[in-house]
Amino acid sequence: AAAAALLCLSAVPSLAQSSACDPGETVIKFSFVTNATKHPKGIAAQLFADRVNKEMNGKVCVELYPNSTLYNDDQVLEAMLQGDVQMAAPSLSKFEAFTKKFRIFDLPFMFKNIAAVDEFQNSAAGQKMKGSMERRGLKGLEFWHSGMKQFSANKPLLLPSDAKGLKFRVQPSDVLVAMIQAIGGSPQPMAFSEVYGALQTGVVDGQENTWSNIYGKKFYEVQDGITETNHGVLDYLVVTSSDFWDGLPDDVRAELTKILHQVTVERNAAVTEVEAKNRQNILDAGATIRELTPVQRQAWVDAMKPVWSKFVKDVGQDNIDAAQAINA
Ligand code: LMR
């Protein structure tokens, strides 16, 4: 492959692919839904592709398909099991059909920041979670971070009661559905690529996401403002199929594992900076960001935290206790 990462922007990926990789190279199609240049996930994917294409030239070639050009998150895991795509990094909320263990990451106010998420994931219990889908044919390789989620809507949101009766797009996660219901809203699970249009046309009134996604997909253009709630976490699992991964020659798998781990450590350490930059980009674009007083924020905590009790069995009280100990 060429030394530079192969960024396939073509609407016809099979055509883009035919010219991208050298004959004889193992092709890794890496599909994701965000942009590739200003988003924590895209930047990490680009670095991984650059390094593999340079350091493993002749053996392996990574093709990136950003912005849902190849698959949406609701299709990519099935496509992976079919062998149509080899790597992806869906958010942990998108593994509902494969494991309930990741629900802990969706529970509102479970982690105070991304550093706490990182510490939890690096514990023995957290590392074990990467393997929770192996019997279903998926192999978790590394957790990639993004950031804390914020709420936005077509009207100002300062208290949870402001959200009453509004429709909110959520990722397809039972925890997120319950969380929106807890504030009296109507949850609408929807693919990421459809959110802008749904906000614009009023199919939904609001949404929750990171600064990087709100900026990356310009949600701020079609919302009244963004409320800095930091109420939840958006984090990813870099995933492959066990069939593909186990079928690689040992030395190739070892080198890919090493490069991916180095990229993970480097980029996870930088996500807070990327998120802060995208928060500033939103302000620079003229959008309104509302900060909450401690009393207002506590009202969101009081409204949403009761959701935990519904999911204790899925996530384990021991894991909740471990997460809370890290926050303390
Ligand atoms: C979403 O669907 O809102 C996110 O999972 C998108 C992403 O991958 O950041």
Side-chain angles (χ1 to χ4, degrees), residues 9-308:
L9 298 169
S10 167
V12 189
S14 56
L15 287 183
Q17 186 229 328
S18 59
S19 59
C21 294
D22 299 334
E25 286 182 325
T26 295
V27 178
I28 297 180
K29 291 188 187 178
F30 192 144
S31 168
F32 55 107
V33 299
T34 70
N35 70 64
T37 52
K38 289 187 174 170
H39 191 285
K41 175 160 57 183
I43 296 171
Q46 186 75 63
L47 180 60
F48 174 69
D50 283 345
R51 284 199 50 189
V52 170
N53 291 340
K54 187 161 168 239
E55 295 167 36
M56 300 184 76
N57 189 24
K59 283 192 278 188
V60 181
C61 152
V62 177
E63 291 180 347
L64 297 184
Y65 295 91
N67 293 312
S68 312
T69 42
L70 194 54
Y71 293 107
N72 264 325
D73 275 346
D74 58 352
Q75 312 156 327
V76 74
L77 296 175
E78 290 302 329
M80 186 169 280
L81 293 174
Q82 301 293 318
D84 294 333
V85 59
Q86 287 70 40
M87 280 176 101
S91 83
L92 300 176
S93 319
K94 305 219 169 117
F95 289 92
E96 284 266 301
F98 294 88
T99 177
K100 292 190 166 64
K101 293 258 182 332
F102 293 164
R103 288 181 164 178
I104 191 160
F105 299 105
D106 276 342
L107 288 170
F109 301 105
M110 179 59 65
F111 296 94
K112 70 172 177 189
N113 54 30
I114 286 294
V117 173
D118 190 83
E119 192 176 334
F120 178 83
Q121 288 171 343
N122 281 313
S123 70
Q127 287 298 301
K128 213 173 128 205
M129 280 185 188
K130 289 196 299 197
S132 57
M133 296 167 300
E134 297 221 357
R135 69 194 162 82
R136 303 288 307 274
L138 292 179
K139 196 173 188 74
L141 297 173
E142 295 281 358
F143 289 112
W144 279 2
H145 304 328
S146 192
M148 304 304 285
K149 290 184 292 186
Q150 323 299 338
F151 271 113
S152 71
N154 52 14
K155 58 174 265 202
L157 299 174
L158 289 171
L159 289 168
S161 52
D162 297 326
K164 214 169 168 187
L166 300 188
K167 294 193 197 109
F168 286 91
R169 178 269 173 168
V170 289
Q171 301 179 75
S173 144
D174 286 3
V175 173
L176 300 179
V177 164
M179 180 186 83
I180 296 298
Q181 285 166 343
I183 53 174
S186 165
Q188 310 285 327
M190 188 183 292
F192 185 58
S193 57
E194 288 164 21
V195 180
Y196 183 91
L199 292 169
Q200 189 180 35
T201 56
V203 168
V204 294
D205 303 299
Q207 61 85 45
E208 48 136 24
N209 225 313
T210 56
W211 299 119
S212 293
N213 278 337
I214 293 169
Y215 181 69
K217 294 294 171 197
K218 298 186 160 61
F219 297 158
Y220 60 87
E221 285 182 354
V222 286
Q223 295 280 267
D224 170 81
I226 302 118
T227 305
E228 188 159 25
T229 46
N230 290 316
H231 62 279
V233 161
L234 184 66
D235 213 79
Y236 308 113
L237 185 69
V238 181
V239 69
T240 185
S241 85
S242 306
D243 273 357
F244 170 74
W245 200 247
D246 296 344
L248 291 171
D250 287 349
D251 60 324
V252 168
R253 188 170 51 245
E255 202 171 346
L256 283 171
T257 302
K258 187 189 81 187
I259 293 173
L260 181 65
H261 186 66
Q262 288 173 351
V263 166
T264 299
V265 171
E266 178 179 334
R267 292 317 307 169
N268 276 354
V271 292
T272 307
E273 199 184 304
V274 177
E275 288 289 338
K277 205 165 176 183
N278 284 323
R279 182 187 188 280
Q280 187 59 45
N281 287 338
I282 292 169
L283 286 173
D284 293 347
T288 302
I289 294 177
R290 297 188 175 89
E291 294 175 26
L292 298 176
T293 66
V295 171
Q296 286 169 333
R297 189 160 192 278
Q298 189 58 42
W300 291 88
V301 174
D302 293 344
M304 299 202 294
K305 222 169 144 176
V307 163
W308 291 15

